[in-house]
Amino acid sequence: NAGVTQTPKFQVLKTGQSMTLQCAQDMNHNSMYWYRQDPGMGLRLIYYSASEGTTDKGEVPNGYNVSRLNKREFSLRLESAAPSQTSVYFCASRGRTPYSGNTIYFGEGSWLTVV
Amino acid sequence: QKEVEQDPGPLSVPEGAIVSLNCTYSNSAFQYFMWYRQYSRKGPELLMYTYSSGNKEDGRFTAQVDKSSKYISLFIRDSQPSDSATYLCALQRSNDYKLSFGAGTTVTVRA
């Protein structure tokens, strides 16, 4: 069971370039998320999708767009990358287990550097 | 003021010591409390989940919630080098899709 899979793992972009981070989950979860993690800032929510067909802004949406392609896939796009977007990006999905309520499960992360 | 405050450490302890981690929060609407563990260059993984005041134990880990003081703690007994990681607290309101995270505390357990 792969859980949450995101690609690419590492990427270097030049300022102004665009790219898309891909994410897929195989846990049949309705909700999916994109977070960024920066030193001393913790995890900050960029966008989330409560269910297929819906997307909403989180804390730090500026400079990003998202697409909920289907129930499994949720992509994050940087239209014109800026050095401030250098970060580690985590995709996540939300679901229930026998041991916990609805909680969030993370992918392995994508390290993005904008030069 | 951040919704969730967590001392980033770092914290270094000898093997076998008790590790004590904590977070404070300001909004009484938070009803669900989690601790995530994140190894270097990996995604966070759920460690503990609780939704009521009091203690919850799972092996060497104990999560403690005091809603009246808006204070949550994680204790690791008999710490091992494999416990070396960053620990993040996460809080959730009822009927909310989002979590609010602490900044994370980096723990090193020395062999």
Side-chain angles (χ1 to χ4, degrees):
Chain A
N1 194 346
V4 179
T5 304
Q6 53 183 110
T7 57
K9 182 87 170 177
F10 300 99
Q11 184 73 48
V12 178
L13 283 178
K14 293 182 178 178
T15 297
Q17 285 185 321
S18 62
M19 77 159 297
T20 300
L21 298 175
Q22 307 285 356
C23 176
Q25 53 92 9
D26 61 4
M27 297 177 281
N28 201 35
H29 289 167
N30 286 320
S31 302
M32 297 186 72
Y33 307 78
W34 277 104
Y35 286 87
R36 60 178 288 174
Q37 187 175 37
D38 303 289
M41 303 291 288
L43 285 155
R44 292 183 293 169
L45 183 64
I46 305 170
Y47 270 94
Y48 68 102
S49 170
S51 60
E52 187 179 353
T54 69
T55 60
D56 284 286
K57 295 178 180 179
E59 292 176 74
V60 288
N62 291 345
Y64 305 96
N65 285 302
V66 290
S67 296
R68 183 73 183 266
L69 304 170
N70 48 56
K71 190 172 186 179
R72 290 188 65 245
E73 297 174 286
F74 188 39
S75 63
L76 178 72
R77 182 159 179 85
L78 287 70
E79 292 291 351
S80 178
S84 61
Q85 294 178 303
T86 294
S87 188
V88 184
Y89 291 85
F90 288 99
C91 179
S93 67
R94 181 173 181 257
R96 184 183 290 272
T97 76
Y99 311 104
S100 70
N102 276 314
T103 193
I104 290 178
Y105 300 88
F106 287 88
E108 292 282 274
S110 296
W111 273 254
L112 177 65
T113 301
V114 182
V115 297
Chain B
Q1 185 186 2
K2 293 181 183 177
E3 276 195 313
V4 183
E5 298 281 356
Q6 182 178 7
D7 187 341
L11 194 59
S12 180
V13 300
E15 184 174 357
I18 295 175
V19 177
S20 174
L21 305 167
N22 59 74
C23 290
T24 59
Y25 62 97
S26 54
N27 192 331
S28 59
F30 289 123
Q31 296 295 318
Y32 304 99
F33 308 92
M34 287 143 275
W35 286 94
Y36 281 80
R37 178 175 61 195
Q38 185 176 20
Y39 290 116
S40 180
R41 305 190 82 77
K42 295 288 187 183
E45 56 178 336
L46 182 66
L47 193 60
M48 298 286 283
Y49 174 96
T50 186
Y51 54 87
S52 59
S53 284
N55 293 350
K56 180 178 181 179
E57 232 176 84
D58 184 0
R60 297 184 295 109
F61 298 91
T62 300
Q64 193 172 78
V65 175
D66 182 345
K67 287 186 178 180
S68 61
S69 301
K70 299 188 182 67
Y71 189 90
I72 65 172
S73 301
L74 178 71
F75 300 97
I76 308 174
R77 291 184 301 281
D78 187 25
S79 58
Q80 304 295 310
S82 58
D83 294 327
S84 298
T86 296
Y87 292 82
L88 301 105
C89 62
L91 289 70
Q92 184 179 352
R93 298 174 183 81
S94 294
N95 301 318
D96 192 346
Y97 292 102
K98 306 181 294 293
L99 298 184
S100 295
F101 285 89
T105 301
T106 300
V107 174
T108 301
V109 181
R110 308 185 306 271

